[in-house]
């Protein structure tokens, strides 16, 4: 079962510690979080009547409808089917942070969702009009922001749970980890082709996009420590490049690209 497998794969859940375990001993920092005893989710999380997400059961899966308004005030609507078998297979997978990150980037549903977004148009826009990259980026971020924030304990009954892209889309909710992986999955697809990263703060995660891949609109956006990535918050509507005033513990993109060992030691790195 997924909960038991998570307990048996603690080292994967602290994969940054696998890279620098002799110095950081991150497995010790995560020992409390990995003491999981709650049962695993067996069906989609209920959607609490939120207008932005609707889920209809079909013969072979779920017909999802997402509606949201991006930061520029554009209204979007996207219909997206997900097979029940795909949801169940995704829910049966076991992921730590690095494997979850790689799975999100390789997700066929993330690729199809992004293609649907690109081929769709903001409500009120001409259906034949090709939207600028910056507008599509705002649309992707807006979709992620429209999903309800729920802690693992609230949505699954478990203190620690990493959703796949498919689970987050069907459940219509997630915590900072889940929403970050969803955005990373979308922005890593060919429609965007961005180099992406997970950005770890004390008790928080957000997405990073390589500074050279962003539209020219964001040429002056502040970069994260290490100088390569720009922050994109997935739970709050902050300007690209802006994030809460906490130390950046690590940036994980093509492996560990930045790590602050002293900050990790000072904070205890608890999630």
């Amino acid at each position: 079962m997924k909960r038991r497998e998570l307990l048996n794969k603690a080292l994967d859940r602290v994969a940054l510690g696998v890279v620098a375990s002799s110095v950081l001993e991150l497995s010790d920092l995560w020992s409390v979080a990995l003491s999981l005893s709650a049962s695993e989710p067996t069906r989609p999380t209920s959607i609490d009547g939120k207008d932005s997400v609707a889920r209809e059961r079909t013969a072979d899966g779920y017909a999802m409808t997402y509606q949201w308004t991006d930061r520029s005030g554009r209204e979007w609507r996207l219909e997206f089917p997900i097979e029940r078998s795909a949801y169940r297979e995704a829910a049966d997978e076991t992921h730590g942070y690095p494997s979850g990150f790689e799975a999100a980037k390789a997700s066929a549903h993330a690729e199809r969702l992004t293609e649907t977004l690109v081929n769709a148009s903001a409500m009120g826009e001409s259906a034949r009009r090709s939207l600028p990259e910056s507008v599509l980026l705002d649309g992707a971020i807006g979709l992620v922001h429209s999903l309800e924030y729920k802690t693992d304990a609230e949505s699954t009954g478990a203190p620690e749970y990493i959703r796949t892209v498919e689970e987050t889309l069907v459940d219509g909710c997630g915590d900072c980890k889940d929403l970050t992986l969803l955005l990373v999955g979308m922005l890593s697809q060919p429609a965007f082709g961005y180099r992406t990263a997970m950005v770890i703060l004390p008790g928080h995660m957000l997405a990073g996009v390589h500074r050279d891949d962003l539209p020219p609109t964001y040429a002056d956006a502040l970069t994260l420590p290490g100088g390569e990535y720009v922050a994109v918050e997935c739970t709050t509507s902050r300007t690209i490049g802006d994030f809460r005033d906490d130390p950046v513990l690590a940036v994980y993109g093509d492996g560990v690209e930045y790590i602050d060992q002293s900050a990790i030691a000072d904070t205890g790195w608890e999630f």
Side-chain angles (χ1 to χ4, degrees), residues 108-119:
H109 286 86
E111 181 175 11
R112 187 157 55 86
L113 178 70
T114 307
E115 291 173 349
T116 303
L117 177 73
V118 170
N119 293 328

Side-chain angles (χ1 to χ4, degrees), residues 26 86 211 249:
L26 297 182
R211 60 181 183 179
L249 304 182

